[in-house]
Amino acid sequence: QQQVKQSPQSLIVQKGGISIINCAYENTAFDYFPWYQQFPGKGPALLIAIRPDVSEKKEGRFTISFNKSAKQFSLHIMDSQPGDSATYFCAASRPFFSGNTPLVFGKGTRLSVIA
Amino acid sequence: NAGVTQTPKFRVLKTGQSMTLLCAQDMNHEYMYWYRQDPGMGLRLIHYSVGEGTTAKGEVPDGYNVSRLKKQNFLLGLESAAPSQTSVYFCASRKRGTGRHRTDTQYFGPGTRLTVL
């Protein structure tokens, strides 16, 4: 059972456009939802994260939108740049007090921003 | 701070050979993880550790063993490598905290690309 479903698998966006990647989860016990960015040949790195007590979090050109009732969250990249071309992973985890809480990852979205 | 380092960066094995991947972190983190990354499959958790001397199975543990003898090191072993274990392996670490000290950020190493022929 895939706990975090991510779409699309790949995305091509024009420079200056908006990139949108979506994730859906099943486990209502999840309380932490990060997005990781991975460049070719590198390990993933945390980009931005949100907790369910807010519906949106913005850091520069990157915004997470969170819909608790729909169990969905999405990453929006405004004014997309060629340097944003990477693979993006959404993830989720349960609270520490509920035991061991490894991150559960989506399958990733390969974003290509073309000039 | 080197963060999370992995040794080796690349390795080619023949079916049936054994090897150990080493992960080291200098951030004094309690939690450490081993993932494998395959095309279209995302990051799948192999084994993890919540502290020195403890290990636990993740999503895809078969064919792998781990040990955490020192807090800063987490070893991943393949006793008898199979072509299905051809993958890129990532180690990650995270600091344990609760309440306002809680941090959930996982820091990843640069990966080990393993090919099993």
Side-chain angles (χ1 to χ4, degrees):
Chain A
Q1 179 188 6
Q2 190 182 351
Q3 296 194 56
V4 179
K5 294 184 179 180
Q6 183 172 346
S7 62
Q9 265 190 318
S10 62
L11 182 63
I12 300 174
V13 174
Q14 292 275 355
K15 179 182 176 182
I18 302 174
S19 304
I20 301 175
I21 305 171
N22 300 300
C23 280
Y25 63 97
E26 294 293 327
N27 191 341
T28 55
F30 288 149
D31 81 331
Y32 174 68
F33 303 90
W35 285 90
Y36 279 75
Q37 180 188 54
Q38 183 183 30
F39 293 105
K42 304 292 185 182
L46 179 67
L47 181 64
I48 187 172
I50 196 169
R51 298 192 190 279
D53 52 344
V54 296
S55 60
E56 185 175 283
K57 183 173 182 180
K58 184 176 181 179
E59 290 183 2
R61 296 184 294 107
F62 301 91
T63 300
I64 299 179
S65 296
F66 184 80
N67 186 330
K68 189 174 181 178
S69 61
K71 294 187 286 185
Q72 295 176 344
F73 58 110
S74 59
L75 175 69
H76 296 236
I77 306 174
M78 311 299 288
D79 186 27
S80 298
Q81 299 297 313
D84 297 329
S85 298
T87 299
Y88 293 82
F89 293 96
C90 63
S93 69
R94 293 179 290 116
F96 277 107
F97 62 75
S98 65
N100 299 317
T101 57
L103 283 173
V104 178
F105 285 89
K107 293 189 175 184
T109 296
R110 179 172 290 185
L111 171 66
S112 297
V113 181
I114 57 175
Chain B
N1 275 359
V4 180
T5 58
Q6 293 183 232
T7 308
K9 289 184 169 52
F10 303 93
R11 185 72 185 269
V12 179
L13 289 178
K14 294 182 179 179
T15 297
Q17 287 186 317
S18 64
M19 78 162 294
T20 299
L21 282 66
L22 171 63
C23 176
Q25 52 95 3
D26 61 2
M27 297 174 282
N28 201 34
H29 287 174
E30 290 80 8
Y31 294 108
M32 295 187 75
Y33 311 87
W34 275 107
Y35 292 88
R36 60 177 290 173
Q37 183 176 24
D38 303 290
M41 299 298 290
L43 292 154
R44 293 183 292 170
L45 184 65
I46 304 171
H47 285 282
Y48 63 101
S49 169
V50 299
E52 184 177 322
T54 72
T55 63
K57 294 181 180 180
E59 180 186 355
V60 289
D62 294 342
Y64 305 95
N65 57 75
V66 288
S67 64
R68 182 102 180 266
L69 298 180
K70 293 182 179 180
K71 187 177 184 179
Q72 64 267 34
N73 295 337
F74 195 29
L75 278 62
L76 177 70
L78 287 73
E79 289 187 349
S80 180
S84 61
Q85 293 178 304
T86 293
S87 186
V88 181
Y89 292 86
F90 287 100
C91 177
S93 72
R94 183 171 72 171
K95 184 174 180 58
R96 181 178 62 198
T98 57
R100 63 186 178 92
H101 299 295
R102 175 181 172 183
T103 58
D104 292 289
T105 303
Q106 281 187 202
Y107 296 86
F108 283 82
T112 294
R113 184 174 294 274
L114 175 66
T115 302
V116 183
L117 302 175

